[in-house]
Amino acid sequence: MGRLETSDKESVHLVENEIQARIDNIFSNLERLEILSSKEPPNKRQNAKLRVDQLKYDVQHLQTALRNFQHRRYLREQQERQREELLARTFTTNDSATTIPIDETLQYNESLQSAHRGMDELIGSGTNILQGLRDQRVTLKGTHKKILDVANMLGLSNTVMRLIEKRAFQDKFLMLGGMAVTCVIMFLVVQYLT
């Protein structure tokens, strides 16, 4: 690793490859050592496994140090390339490549804003409709209550009121059934006429 830090640009790859080969060789030897340590007598097995694990830990640190060095070297080389490109570049005034395509971006932004306004209007109208339905429900509940009060005041019996409510309940099912039959007839007419 010391040779790696002091090597020049041309030989750094050779030193890195040599270090990587040695690390790979150490890993393969450690695998064999691990197999051999499991064959030790029980009183020495734990100590042997501990030593093998310590060696593995040390080799992993060496591998990490090598990767860190390679990463730093790559960043240095990239910075040097960018510096050379920047120094080698010639600048001219009013180059045609300095135009910014702002019209497309502006049109895109305007279409996004109009879509946003449309969604806001849609949400606002939905809120107004929902509020209107709530108001109608409150009004209808109040009217229903007043009708019941008037009916009780007129002296209609509870039996008649239950019959009216039962009839309203049956009428609702008749209406739903009629709607379903109408939809089926409309579907059949459209199906056979087209």
Side-chain angles (χ1 to χ4, degrees):
M1 291 299 283
R3 274 183 34 213
L4 187 62
E5 294 288 339
T6 59
S7 61
D8 57 349
K9 288 183 182 180
E10 289 78 26
S11 63
V12 70
H13 295 291
L14 296 173
V15 176
E16 282 179 1
N17 290 340
E18 181 183 348
I19 290 174
Q20 187 62 49
R22 286 184 181 183
I23 288 174
D24 292 341
N25 188 15
I26 291 172
F27 268 126
S28 65
N29 288 338
L30 282 175
E31 288 174 2
R32 278 190 267 149
L33 266 176
E34 190 170 15
I35 293 170
L36 291 174
S37 69
S38 65
K39 295 179 181 178
E40 286 285 321
N43 56 353
K44 293 182 181 180
R45 188 178 303 155
Q46 183 68 24
N47 194 17
K49 281 191 177 277
L50 186 64
R51 287 180 186 162
V52 171
D53 289 341
Q54 181 63 39
L55 286 174
K56 278 185 179 181
Y57 182 73
D58 292 343
V59 172
Q60 286 173 350
H61 275 290
L62 285 175
Q63 182 75 35
T64 304
L66 178 64
R67 285 191 188 128
N68 287 340
F69 178 80
Q70 289 172 336
H71 182 68
R72 285 194 312 267
R73 180 181 52 80
Y74 173 74
L75 288 177
R76 270 196 315 268
E77 289 174 358
Q78 187 178 16
Q79 288 173 352
E80 287 175 11
R81 274 196 312 273
Q82 289 173 350
R83 188 178 306 117
E84 291 300 322
E85 289 174 6
L86 196 60
L87 291 175
R89 186 175 180 185
T90 57
F91 294 96
T92 59
T93 58
N94 294 334
D95 191 11
S96 63
T98 59
T99 59
I100 300 173
I102 204 162
D103 291 336
E104 295 173 6
T105 308
L106 186 62
Q107 288 174 352
Y108 180 71
N109 189 22
E110 287 175 358
S111 65
L112 279 178
Q113 286 179 353
S114 66
H116 188 265
R117 279 192 301 271
M119 288 303 294
D120 284 344
E121 291 171 2
L122 187 64
I123 290 171
S125 67
T127 304
N128 290 336
I129 289 170
L130 189 59
Q131 187 61 40
L133 288 173
R134 285 182 184 143
D135 292 343
Q136 287 178 4
R137 179 177 174 222
V138 169
T139 304
L140 288 174
K141 276 188 172 183
T143 305
H144 185 262
K145 186 177 178 186
K146 286 180 183 177
I147 288 173
L148 288 177
D149 289 344
V150 168
N152 285 334
M153 285 174 52
L154 292 175
L156 290 177
S157 68
N158 288 335
T159 316
V160 174
M161 290 305 294
R162 276 192 232 118
L163 287 174
I164 291 172
E165 288 177 357
K166 185 177 179 182
R167 178 62 189 251
F169 186 70
Q170 291 171 349
D171 287 347
K172 184 175 21 172
F173 280 113
L174 284 175
M175 181 190 69
L176 291 174
M179 289 170 60
V181 169
T182 304
C183 287
V184 168
I185 290 172
M186 287 172 36
F187 175 74
L188 292 175
V189 166
V190 168
Q191 191 71 7
Y192 286 114
L193 292 180
T194 55

